[in-house]
Amino acid sequence: MKFLKYGAVAAGALVPPLALFKVVDGLDAIQRNLMMTMDSIGSLVDETIRHIQDLEGNKQDGRSTAMGPMRLEDIEALEGADLRQLQLYLNDKDKGRVLGNLFRVFTDEGHVKWVCIDHYKENYRKADIQRFEEVVTASRGEFYQSDGSITIRLGSNTVATQFYEAMVKTRGVQSLDIILEWDVTLDDLQKFASAVTLAHVTRLRMNGRHFKGPILDMINNDHRYDPILGLISNGRMEEMEIQDYYNFFQRINVRSMARTSRLRKLALPGYSRRCKSVLVELLKRLSYPVDLTLEVSSFNEAFEDILMELPNLPCLAGLILIKSTSTDEVSIKVSQGKIQSAKVAIRGPLIPDVELLLQRGYLTELEVELSPVDRTRSKLTDVVQRIPMLRSIELGCFLDHSSAIKEIITSARREILSKGGSCGLHRVKLHLHNTRRRRWFPNIFTIVLEFHEGLVEPTTSSSINTTSSLSDGVSDKDGISDPLPSAFQDYGSSLSTLITDEHFRDDFAAILDRVTEQSGSKIVSLFLDTSSLTKEGLKHIVRVIDRSFDLRRFEITFRKLHDERQQEKLESLIRRHDKRLQGLSMKGHSGEVWIPNVMALCRTRLDLPRLSFRLVGDNMKQLPSHCVQWIATMLSALPLTPSRMGSISANCAYERNQLSAVKLSRIFLPLKDWEVVFRAMDYSTLKELRLEGGKLSMDHVKLLVDCVLVNASPAAELYIWVRSRLIDKDSDEWASQTARLRSKVPNATIALEQH
C-alpha cells in the first residue's frame, strides 16, 4: 500500500519535466489526471493501511476476523423499480422465458433460486415428482415439468387434499390453471389458498363455474371469496385470473385485504355499477403498476366508473373490458392516472355501448370485424372527424363495398384538412368478405390505405392469400361466388403480397398478367404454389414475376415432384429465376427419382444464392448416398470466391449466401446419413431448423446437439423445432440435451412437439 501511495507521488514529480520537452503527446492531460489522483489517493491508502493494521491487531488479541460464508438472507433483495428493470431486461433478452435453461426453486426461508437441472434434481427428489405426476394424471390434469405449469380439474374435496399435499411437497409449480368441480365453502377456499401460497405459485387461473354457495355455508356468504383476496396480496402472486365466480364482488370483504407487492396482471369477473366501490377499494391496495381485465355487462358504465376514479388509482397501468356474451373488447393504456390510448375491437357494426368512449375522444385504434356500408357511413364519418387522436382503423366489409368505404374515410379526412384541422389517421386496413351470401373468407384479401402528412390522397397496397380461400369447390349453384377473380381484377395493380396454394389457377394468373401489363406490378412478396397451373398459366405468372422489379421475397412450393409435369415446372422456374429465388420447398415421394433431376439444375448453393431450403418427403425412404450428399451440400457453408462472383459486389454476394431457414420433413434415413447432413449444415447463419417425422429419436437429437456445439457460434440465435412421437419431452434425456445446448449457445432454443 505504501509503494502505491509513494509511487503516485513519484509519477507526479516526473511527468511535469517531461511535459516541457514535448516528447510524448497528451502529457498535459496526463499531468492533470495525476494531480487529481494525488489529491485523493493518499487518504484512501492511509485508511486501507489502518484497516489492515486493525485486523492484524484483532488477530493477535485472539478475536476472529473471518467474515464467514455469505448467506442468502444477508443479501438485500431487489425491490420496486430495480425488480421491474430486471424483469424488463429478462423479457427482452429471453422472449421464450427459458432463462438460461435454469429451474426455479425455493429455500426454506421462501427465497427464489435458479439452479441447473442437476441441482434441481438434488433439491426435489425424483420420487416426489413422480408421485405428484401420478396425482395430476389421476385427476385428468397435465404437468409440464420444464416450465412448472399445471392444468387440472379436481372433482372433490378429498382429491383436492391429495393434490394440495403433493403440490406443496414437490414445490416445483409456477403456473396453475385449475377448476374445482364442487360447490366450495369458505373452508375449502382457505385450504386451497394456503396450498397455493406454500407451493410458491406465481401465476394462477381459477374457474369458479361450480361455485353457487352451499346452504350449510350461508353464514359466510359475504366473505366466502376472501381467501382469493389473500392470494392476490400474498407477496408471491404475479398474475391472477378469476373466471366465472358467481357474485364475486358481493362475496369479498376488501377491508381485510393487504396491499399487493408483486402483482402485475389481474382479471376479475362479473363487474357491474353496483360493484364500483368494492373495485375501487381493491385497486387502491395495488402497490405497483397492474394491468386489469374486467368482465363487464356494459362498456359505457364500466368506462365511466373507472374514468371518474382514475386520478385516485396511480397503479392502474392498463384496463381491458370484455363481455362474456361476445368477443367485443376495449383496451385502454393508462399512465399516472391519465388515459394514453384506447382501442375498440368489436364484431360490429359500431354499437351504442362504446359511444361514451367515442364521445370523450380517447379512441386511438378501431377494429370492426363486419361493417356493412349502409350502417357504417354516417358513423365512420363522425368517428374520423370527431376524434383527432384516432391513428388506425381496421374494418371487415363486403368486396363490392370496399370502394365506398375507402371514399367515406378519405372524404372525411379531406374535409378536416380543408378546414385547417388536425387528423391523426395514418392507416386504414380493410378485410374483404365474399359478396353473395356475405360469407366470410378470413384473411383472403386485404387493402391497406396509408395516409401521409401533407398529402390528401392515400397510397394503396393490397394482399391476396389463396390459402385462406374456399376457391376449391366453390360454385354459383351453392350461392357462393368466388371472390378472387374480382379481387385480382380490381386490385391486381396495387398488389404487394401474393400468397398462393394449390388452388391458384390459370384464370387468376391470366387476370393478374393482364392487369400488370397495363399498370405494372407492385408485388414485393410472392409465395407461389404451381401445383394447379398448366404450361399456359405458368407463362402468365412468369411474365408477372418479370415485371415485379421490387420483388424482395420470392419463394416457390413444388408438390408431387414424382410427377414429370411438376418437374418440368421446377426446371422452367429455377432456370429463369434462380438468382431471385429465396425459398424452395420441394415435396414428393420417390426422391431417388426426382432429386437427381434437381441436382442437375443446382449442384451447389451458388446456383441458388438466396436460398432458404425446405425438403418435404412423402414416405421418402432409403435415398441413395449421392442424394444424401446433395442435401448436405445444399445445406453446407459455401462462401463465394472472387472468380465466382462475376459482376456481383462482394458485399452483395456475401449477403445473398445466407442460409437462414431449413425444414426436413418425413424423410426416413439411417442415422449415419443424418450424421452426414447434420455435420455439413451451415450453423453460422442458420436461424431456424425444423425436423419432422422420419422416426426421429433421442439419438437424432443427441447427434444434432453434438453438431451444433461443435459448429455454432456461442452468440448464435438458433431455433430448433422437432416433431416426433418417439421422444418424451419430460424425460431426463431431453432435459439433458436441451441443457447441453444452452450451456454453450445460450440464445439457442429447442422445442419438441409430440404427435
Side-chain angles (χ1 to χ4, degrees):
M1 284 296 168
K2 292 180 179 179
F3 283 124
L4 175 62
K5 176 179 178 180
Y6 294 114
V9 175
L14 179 63
V15 170
L18 287 175
L20 294 175
F21 291 102
K22 305 292 184 182
V23 294
V24 180
D25 293 336
L27 281 175
D28 292 340
I30 295 173
Q31 181 179 358
R32 288 194 299 271
N33 290 332
L34 272 172
M35 295 302 294
M36 295 174 61
T37 303
M38 289 169 59
D39 291 340
S40 59
I41 196 170
S43 59
L44 293 174
V45 171
D46 288 339
E47 289 180 12
T48 304
I49 293 173
R50 281 196 298 272
H51 180 67
I52 294 173
Q53 290 173 344
D54 290 341
L55 292 178
E56 290 293 331
N58 291 337
K59 185 175 181 180
Q60 292 173 3
D61 294 339
R63 288 174 292 179
S64 175
T65 60
M67 298 178 64
M70 182 177 291
R71 299 188 311 150
L72 186 61
E73 295 84 350
D74 297 331
I75 302 174
E76 183 180 355
L78 294 179
E79 294 182 353
D82 294 331
L83 194 60
R84 292 193 295 274
Q85 190 70 23
L86 175 62
Q87 184 181 21
L88 290 173
Y89 174 82
L90 292 175
N91 289 342
D92 178 64
K93 296 298 182 182
D94 191 6
K95 294 181 173 58
R97 294 184 65 83
V98 180
L99 298 175
N101 206 43
L102 299 177
F103 293 79
R104 191 182 69 162
V105 299
F106 291 90
T107 66
D108 293 335
E109 294 79 14
H111 295 295
V112 175
K113 291 197 302 184
W114 293 89
V115 299
C116 68
I117 183 65
D118 294 327
H119 286 86
Y120 179 83
K121 292 176 182 177
E122 289 177 8
N123 282 274
Y124 299 102
R125 297 186 301 275
K126 192 171 183 179
D128 290 337
I129 296 178
Q130 185 174 354
R131 167 62 179 159
F132 182 60
E133 290 179 337
E134 291 173 357
V135 172
V136 172
T137 302
S139 299
R140 298 168 294 167
E142 294 180 338
F143 174 42
Y144 302 97
Q145 187 179 343
S146 58
D147 62 358
S149 64
I150 294 179
T151 301
I152 195 168
R153 306 163 69 101
L154 301 177
S156 69
N157 201 348
T158 303
V159 174
T161 300
Q162 295 175 352
F163 171 74
Y164 299 158
E165 291 175 353
M167 179 173 67
V168 172
K169 192 172 184 179
T170 303
R171 296 175 68 185
V173 178
Q174 300 181 45
S175 177
L176 176 61
D177 188 342
I178 188 169
I179 299 176
L180 302 182
E181 297 182 320
W182 77 94
D183 201 356
V184 298
T185 64
L186 174 62
D187 184 60
D188 293 334
L189 288 178
Q190 286 173 339
K191 292 178 182 178
F192 168 76
S194 175
V196 169
T197 301
L198 290 174
H200 301 284
V201 174
T202 60
R203 298 186 297 276
L204 173 65
R205 176 186 294 159
M206 188 178 188
N207 190 293
R209 70 182 69 163
H210 300 281
F211 305 168
K212 303 302 179 184
I215 297 176
L216 296 178
D217 199 39
M218 290 294 291
I219 191 173
N220 296 318
N221 253 2
D222 60 345
H223 59 282
R224 178 174 293 115
Y225 299 147
D226 281 5
I228 304 303
L229 297 183
L231 286 175
I232 293 175
S233 58
N234 70 1
R236 297 186 177 97
M237 195 64 64
E238 297 177 2
E239 300 178 14
M240 191 164 176
E241 182 177 349
I242 305 301
Q243 302 174 335
D244 294 340
Y245 270 54
Y246 180 67
N247 287 340
F248 177 78
F249 288 97
Q250 287 84 358
R251 296 185 176 181
I252 57 175
N253 179 13
V254 183
R255 290 188 297 274
S256 66
M257 175 182 169
R259 294 188 67 84
T260 65
S261 59
R262 295 189 63 184
L263 194 69
R264 298 294 178 265
K265 292 183 179 180
L266 177 63
L268 298 174
Y271 176 80
S272 62
R273 174 153 285 174
R274 60 181 178 173
C275 308
K276 176 183 175 181
S277 60
V278 179
L279 175 64
V280 171
E281 189 65 30
L282 189 155
L283 295 180
K284 287 181 178 179
R285 282 169 163 72
L286 303 177
S287 300
Y288 295 105
V290 173
D291 291 322
L292 174 66
T293 300
L294 276 183
E295 182 190 67
V296 302
S297 55
S298 167
F299 286 143
N300 280 335
E301 282 188 2
F303 174 69
E304 185 175 26
D305 292 347
I306 297 294
L307 185 62
M308 292 175 61
E309 297 293 338
L310 267 184
N312 303 318
L313 304 174
C315 288
L316 186 62
L319 175 65
I320 298 177
L321 306 178
I322 61 175
K323 287 188 175 181
S324 59
T325 57
S326 70
T327 58
D328 297 346
E329 182 177 297
V330 174
S331 304
I332 301 171
K333 293 295 182 183
V334 182
S335 177
Q336 298 181 343
K338 295 182 179 179
I339 294 179
Q340 303 299 311
S341 64
K343 175 182 176 180
V344 170
I346 55 180
R347 180 165 177 78
L350 285 171
I351 54 178
D353 198 26
V354 295
E355 186 63 32
L356 184 62
L357 192 66
L358 303 181
Q359 291 177 357
R360 297 298 180 93
Y362 292 115
L363 191 65
T364 54
E365 297 180 60
L366 174 64
E367 291 184 11
V368 183
E369 184 176 330
L370 181 58
S371 183
V373 68
D374 52 342
R375 301 173 61 183
T376 305
R377 185 185 303 273
S378 60
K379 182 62 69 175
L380 265 180
T381 301
D382 189 45
V383 167
V384 173
Q385 293 182 341
R386 284 198 311 173
I387 308 178
M389 291 178 61
L390 184 63
R391 298 193 300 263
S392 68
I393 298 176
E394 192 164 336
L395 301 175
C397 64
F398 304 137
L399 181 61
D400 50 347
H401 291 170
S402 58
S403 298
I405 294 288
K406 287 172 54 181
E407 182 57 31
I408 290 170
I409 296 173
T410 304
S411 298
R413 183 177 181 274
R414 187 187 300 121
E415 184 176 346
I416 295 173
L417 298 179
S418 67
K419 296 178 180 179
S422 174
C423 182
L425 185 64
H426 68 268
R427 189 173 189 270
V428 176
K429 188 174 184 178
L430 305 180
H431 299 275
L432 302 189
H433 299 248
N434 186 30
T435 305
R436 284 204 187 162
R437 280 191 183 176
R438 308 307 195 228
R439 185 165 181 174
W440 175 237
F441 290 81
N443 300 320
I444 180 176
F445 183 33
T446 60
I447 302 172
V448 176
L449 309 178
E450 298 280 356
F451 294 95
H452 303 281
E453 188 175 356
L455 299 177
V456 176
E457 300 301 323
T459 58
T460 303
S461 61
S462 59
S463 64
I464 295 178
N465 184 351
T466 67
T467 63
S468 300
S469 76
L470 299 180
S471 299
D472 188 29
V474 170
S475 62
D476 287 341
K477 68 180 181 180
D478 299 321
I480 305 173
S481 63
D482 188 346
L484 286 175
S486 297
F488 280 116
Q489 181 64 49
D490 296 341
Y491 295 98
S493 59
S494 65
L495 193 63
S496 62
T497 300
L498 176 59
I499 303 173
T500 72
D501 62 357
E502 63 269 22
H503 300 140
F504 187 68
R505 310 189 305 255
D506 285 3
D507 55 329
F508 301 157
I511 296 172
L512 193 57
D513 183 16
R514 184 171 62 252
V515 171
T516 56
E517 183 181 18
Q518 299 170 354
S519 306
S521 173
K522 295 182 180 179
I523 296 178
V524 175
S525 300
L526 174 59
F527 300 85
L528 179 64
D529 190 316
T530 64
S531 302
S532 298
L533 294 178
T534 65
K535 288 184 178 180
E536 191 63 30
L538 197 63
K539 291 179 181 178
H540 289 302
I541 200 64
V542 164
R543 286 195 288 265
V544 173
I545 296 172
D546 290 340
R547 299 185 191 110
S548 303
F549 302 111
D550 295 326
L551 187 62
R552 295 195 294 268
R553 188 69 188 173
F554 181 27
E555 298 188 12
I556 305 179
T557 295
F558 296 99
R559 302 175 190 269
K560 300 179 180 179
L561 281 172
H562 46 273
D563 187 329
E564 290 185 3
R565 292 170 297 180
Q566 301 299 328
Q567 294 179 38
E568 291 175 1
K569 297 177 189 177
L570 182 146
E571 180 178 357
S572 173
L573 284 171
I574 287 184
R575 288 191 183 281
R576 189 178 185 92
H577 297 293
D578 54 349
K579 298 301 184 290
R580 305 180 76 182
L581 189 61
Q582 290 173 294
L584 178 62
S585 181
M586 298 179 290
K587 304 181 180 182
H589 60 71
S590 304
E592 70 280 1
V593 174
W594 57 267
I595 286 182
N597 296 333
V598 182
M599 291 169 56
L601 293 171
C602 41
R603 296 186 177 278
T604 70
R605 288 256 303 279
L606 292 175
D607 297 312
L608 298 173
R610 306 180 70 188
L611 181 69
S612 288
F613 190 86
R614 285 187 287 278
L615 183 62
V616 180
D618 185 2
N619 293 321
M620 193 185 296
K621 300 179 180 179
Q622 298 300 324
L623 289 177
S625 59
H626 63 280
C627 293
V628 174
Q629 190 58 53
W630 174 77
I631 296 173
T633 300
M634 294 303 293
L635 302 181
S636 64
L638 189 63
L640 294 175
T641 61
S643 62
R644 290 170 173 166
M645 289 181 186
S647 60
I648 304 176
S649 67
N651 290 337
C652 181
Y654 179 79
E655 178 184 355
R656 292 187 176 191
N657 204 38
Q658 308 293 310
L659 182 63
S660 59
V662 172
K663 179 178 180 180
L664 301 173
S665 179
R666 299 196 295 277
I667 303 173
F668 296 84
L669 299 176
L671 189 61
K672 61 181 181 63
D673 287 344
W674 279 114
E675 183 174 2
V676 172
V677 174
F678 288 160
R679 293 197 182 282
M681 203 170 292
D682 181 8
Y683 297 100
S684 63
T685 60
L686 192 63
K687 300 294 184 184
E688 181 177 326
L689 172 61
R690 290 180 172 267
L691 304 173
E692 180 179 5
K695 294 185 178 180
L696 295 169
S697 66
M698 279 305 308
D699 290 336
H700 295 86
V701 174
K702 184 179 183 302
L703 175 62
L704 175 61
V705 172
D706 289 342
C707 295
V708 173
L709 295 181
V710 171
N711 297 290
S713 163
E717 296 182 358
L718 175 61
Y719 175 75
I720 301 174
W721 180 85
V722 180
R723 188 180 186 192
S724 173
R725 59 180 164 214
L726 303 179
I727 304 175
D728 180 7
K729 67 178 178 181
D730 292 324
S731 66
D732 291 344
E733 292 85 356
W734 176 260
S736 174
Q737 294 306 319
T738 56
R740 287 182 62 220
L741 179 65
R742 294 299 298 270
S743 66
K744 181 178 178 180
V745 191
N747 295 324
T749 302
I750 182 167
L752 172 65
E753 180 179 327
Q754 296 169 296
H755 68 98

